[in-house]
Amino acid sequence: MPDREDAVLCALLLAVFLGAAWLALDYPAVSRRFPLVVAVPGVALCAVQLRRDLRPAAAGVAPEIGLAERTPLAAELALVAWFVGFVVAAIALGIVVGGALAVFAFLRWRAHESLGLAVAWSAGAAGAVHLVFERLLGSLFFEGLLFEWLRSVA
Amino acid sequence: MEQGTALASLAQLFGSPGLLALMALAVPIGLLVGALPGIGGKTAIALAIPFVFGMEPIPGAVFLVAMHAVVHTGDAIPAILFGIPGGGPAAATVLDGYPLARQGQAGRALGASLGASAVGGVIGAIALAAFLPVLRPLALAFGPAEIFLLAVLGISFIAVLSGESPVKGLAVGCLGLLLSFVGMDPQQGAPRFAFGQLFLWDGVDVATAMLGIFAVPEMIALGARGGAVSSVSRDAAHYSARQLWQGMLDVWRHRWLTLRTSLIGVVIGLIPGLGGDVASWLCYGHAVQSSKQPERFGHGAIEGVIAPETANNSKEGGALVPTLFFAVPGSSGMVLLLGAFTVLGISPGPTLLLEGGTLVWTLVFALAFSNLLAVAVFLAVTPWLSALSFVRGGLIVPIVFLLTLVGSVVVTGMWHSLLVLAVLGVLGWALSRCGWPRAPFAIGLVLGEIAEVALHQSLTIWGPRFLLRPMALCLIALCAAGLATVALRGRWRGARHA
């Protein structure tokens, strides 16, 4: 199974390098020099690695350092989805509001923390971000696409 | 004459309660700013300019230098405890600092980082003082050709950092290089790999990339694994002040590495355009290359914390040289420092070297003393900070996710960077899960643009003959020697396994 995951990643990277090389061909000669110098070896390296990963003998090879400790793919994919959810929430509702809601949701439904702790932790995090970054340091966070849209509609 | 000025400056610094108070204020601010992901030294200076406006030149400059000098001491805290690089230069510290925290040795890693930062900072200040008489020829000897080959030398470390998977490491390094080409082509001004998106014209922000590639995967792994950052219990870790001292003693045990990486950091700082990311990665690569057991790196080798941390702080002394004496800022942080000096009525340039003796020496001592002061502040707070590595992951993960989002948006000022963060976070997770080395990606991303710009400049000025310049030949020899060492070590290891 790990070899299949490796092969999928390797195939994706191969596609990225092939795409980059193909795109670079359209650039002016000077602009495409470096991208091609990098993308072509990238294609070759990924092809070599993909061949290794797909070799039948690879199944018998001892796992590399760290691979033996792998947690189940489904468990990590769930966390990846949570991370993407944080990004979506921040883009839609802004860093402070979206971030606070995402922290609350994670604590309540992923970490199974109590309601009181989830509320306190998320409110504290949002408050700290607002105080430190917006008030103290003067960073201007965007308000979120949803709020922008609502404002434009109103 | 020079000694008299130096002694007078020393007396002025330590005889003035006002200057000491300013440093005592600047150091905790610098540490805090460093510990907050995405803020970093340049933002800190930008935010401090309104506060120093109207101050006398020396107090204002001392405040700014003291604050900026210890930012990289602070950014090791989130790097070690949570695997979040506070800025690009701290990303190299994550590689071994975070595994040490996971092994219950957060105190030792923090102690080593503290000791290394202090030693590096003091050596940087000494170097600044020592270089005063011989500055001009050294700084002028580095042209685009040497910068290109120095970047190539850094890229050659990809092979060193690839460990036992050279093909994977090189492929990931190529991916990092490829990503560094996103944005406007420096030669023709044409957008590359921007897909019609305006926000990609500025390229991929290094801090966002580091957060995505290093911080996000660690939190995904922590969340999926459960438990705390430290995989051993607090009792089993035997955390105490002794662990912190053990880390600081590690710096002494690896004193030659500390000295070498400090000097490398100074030299990198001296060269405009390279910056802290290059210093920390070059020194990390050097630590791996010079180790008798390179396979330990990435799994909690204390030298992997010491090398980048010394370089991060020592390069500040080096970077002040072109900034102060040639008005050539070596990094974006130094650009802001240069601007802040101008606001204070200081005119950086060769005349400062001739006429600004008191100011220059005061800054040298302020640089050294602020690094030592940071030790006291850091020692006071580290026991509390180390305890965070034993807090359960369920509480840490969402906060770190939030901080990565904040860090990315604060650095770029655009929400679009969150899209880049998401893509690179997923990529970083995939690389981490499949055991692909991630350090080569960072080297490629950091050095790609520098190498491309310098190569174009070199070819325009000298044509292919730039490779025959004396210092260029030295750097080519260093690259060849480094790659040969890797090849020989690989063959030796292969023969031993056989």
Side-chain angles (χ1 to χ4, degrees):
Chain A
M1 193 65 162
D3 292 326
R4 207 177 72 178
E5 287 175 25
D6 273 4
V8 169
L9 175 63
C10 201
L12 281 173
L13 292 181
L14 179 63
V16 167
F17 282 119
L18 279 171
W22 182 68
L23 282 173
L25 289 175
D26 282 344
Y27 300 146
V30 176
S31 302
R32 70 174 173 232
R33 188 188 297 158
F34 257 71
L36 280 178
V37 161
V38 170
V40 171
V43 168
L45 288 163
C46 286
V48 168
Q49 186 60 40
L50 190 60
R51 193 164 160 266
R52 280 186 191 174
D53 290 342
L54 293 176
R55 242 186 351 217
V61 174
E64 288 178 42
I65 296 166
L67 295 189
E69 304 167 359
R70 272 178 175 173
T71 42
L73 180 63
E76 290 201 0
L77 277 176
L79 262 295
V80 172
W82 272 104
F83 168 66
V84 173
F86 268 69
V87 173
V88 171
I91 291 174
L93 302 167
I95 292 272
V96 178
V97 176
L101 288 176
V103 170
F104 173 81
F106 187 96
L107 290 170
R108 194 76 185 107
W109 292 298
R110 166 77 201 184
H112 306 294
E113 298 290 349
S114 67
L115 181 65
L117 182 71
V119 169
W121 203 245
S122 52
V129 168
H130 173 67
L131 277 176
V132 173
F133 290 92
E134 289 193 307
R135 286 295 176 93
L136 198 63
L137 300 176
S139 301
L140 285 176
F141 290 140
F142 69 103
E143 56 185 351
L145 295 182
L146 189 64
F147 288 125
E148 272 183 14
W149 178 74
L150 285 174
R151 193 187 292 263
S152 68
V153 169
Chain B
M1 175 79 177
E2 200 73 31
Q3 287 169 340
T5 313
L7 286 173
S9 305
L10 186 65
Q12 184 185 15
L13 183 67
F14 289 101
S16 163
L19 283 181
L20 290 175
L22 275 175
M23 287 179 68
L25 183 66
V27 166
I29 292 175
L31 286 172
L32 179 68
V33 161
L36 291 173
I39 298 291
K42 58 187 174 195
T43 314
I45 291 172
L47 294 167
I49 288 175
F51 295 102
V52 297
F53 182 72
M55 277 189 189
E56 289 294 315
I58 288 182
V62 164
F63 179 85
L64 291 172
V65 167
M67 184 182 69
H68 194 255
V70 300
V71 164
H72 295 304
T73 308
D75 68 10
I77 297 169
I80 289 169
L81 293 180
F82 309 117
I84 310 175
T93 308
V94 172
L95 292 182
D96 284 282
Y98 185 67
L100 279 166
R102 284 196 60 200
Q103 292 159 21
Q105 299 186 61
R108 183 181 169 212
L110 286 168
S113 121
L114 175 61
S117 297
V119 172
V122 171
I123 288 178
I126 293 170
L128 174 59
F131 274 120
L132 284 174
V134 287
L135 289 176
R136 186 177 282 274
L138 187 78
L140 295 181
F142 263 83
E146 288 74 21
I147 290 179
F148 167 69
L149 285 163
L150 204 61
V152 171
L153 177 66
I155 291 168
S156 75
F157 278 133
I158 285 175
V160 179
L161 293 171
S162 301
E164 303 206 347
S165 318
V167 174
K168 289 179 176 177
L170 288 169
V172 175
C174 285
L175 192 65
L177 282 166
L178 202 59
L179 219 66
S180 75
F181 303 139
V182 172
M184 303 291 275
D185 162 30
Q187 192 71 1
Q188 303 227 322
R192 291 184 302 197
F193 306 123
F195 306 103
Q197 299 298 315
L198 209 58
F199 74 95
L200 286 176
W201 283 26
D202 284 338
V204 173
D205 172 62
V206 173
T208 300
M210 297 302 146
L211 288 167
I213 292 291
F214 291 101
V216 172
E218 298 304 340
M219 286 305 113
I220 288 172
L222 174 62
R225 193 178 64 236
V229 167
S230 175
S231 55
V232 297
S233 71
R234 196 170 182 180
D235 293 334
H238 303 299
Y239 176 76
S240 64
R242 183 177 292 177
Q243 216 187 55
L244 201 63
W245 287 112
Q246 189 192 352
M248 294 180 82
L249 279 175
D250 281 322
V251 177
W252 171 250
R253 278 190 209 107
H254 300 284
R255 52 192 174 278
W256 297 117
L257 175 71
T258 306
L259 186 64
R260 287 197 306 273
T261 48
S262 296
L263 294 175
I264 292 171
V266 169
V267 173
I268 298 289
L270 275 171
I271 303 162
L274 286 180
D277 297 13
V278 178
S280 55
W281 284 110
L282 267 180
C283 288
Y284 185 84
H286 171 71
V288 179
Q289 194 182 34
S290 59
S291 171
K292 287 176 183 163
Q293 297 164 300
E295 63 278 4
R296 289 186 301 115
F297 284 79
H299 305 287
I302 201 72
E303 303 98 298
V305 174
I306 293 170
E309 286 303 310
T310 44
N312 275 344
N313 283 42
S314 69
K315 73 149 192 352
E316 297 300 334
L320 275 173
V321 171
T323 307
L324 283 175
F325 306 128
F326 304 120
V328 178
S331 62
S332 49
M334 285 292 148
V335 171
L336 284 161
L337 198 60
L338 191 70
F341 281 161
T342 312
V343 167
L344 289 166
I346 300 166
S347 301
T351 47
L352 192 66
L353 195 59
L354 301 171
E355 297 166 10
T358 307
L359 172 69
V360 171
W361 279 107
T362 306
L363 292 183
V364 169
F365 291 121
L367 189 63
F369 183 61
S370 57
N371 277 288
L372 296 176
L373 193 60
V375 175
V377 175
F378 202 109
L379 278 174
V381 297
T382 301
W384 308 100
L385 292 171
S386 297
L388 289 175
S389 66
F390 299 99
V391 174
R392 59 181 183 275
L395 294 175
I396 298 284
V397 170
I399 301 299
V400 174
F401 277 166
L402 181 61
L403 280 177
T404 57
L405 303 179
V406 170
S408 174
V409 172
V410 167
V411 170
T412 61
M414 292 187 296
W415 67 265
H416 305 85
S417 65
L418 295 177
L419 299 172
V420 178
L421 179 74
V423 171
L424 292 180
V426 175
L427 173 68
W429 164 74
L431 292 174
S432 168
R433 180 165 177 84
C434 294
W436 288 52
R438 286 172 287 165
F441 180 91
I443 291 218
L445 181 62
V446 169
L447 292 175
E449 191 185 351
I450 295 171
E452 185 179 17
V453 171
L455 177 65
H456 283 310
Q457 289 173 340
S458 306
L459 287 172
T460 307
I461 299 170
W462 297 289
R465 283 179 296 118
F466 78 86
L467 292 168
L468 299 175
R469 286 164 61 85
M471 204 173 283
L473 287 171
C474 293
L475 289 165
I476 290 169
L478 274 175
C479 285
L483 290 173
T485 309
V486 174
L488 286 173
R489 191 172 273 166
R491 283 185 66 177
W492 176 73
R493 198 180 289 136
R496 196 177 54 173
H497 286 312

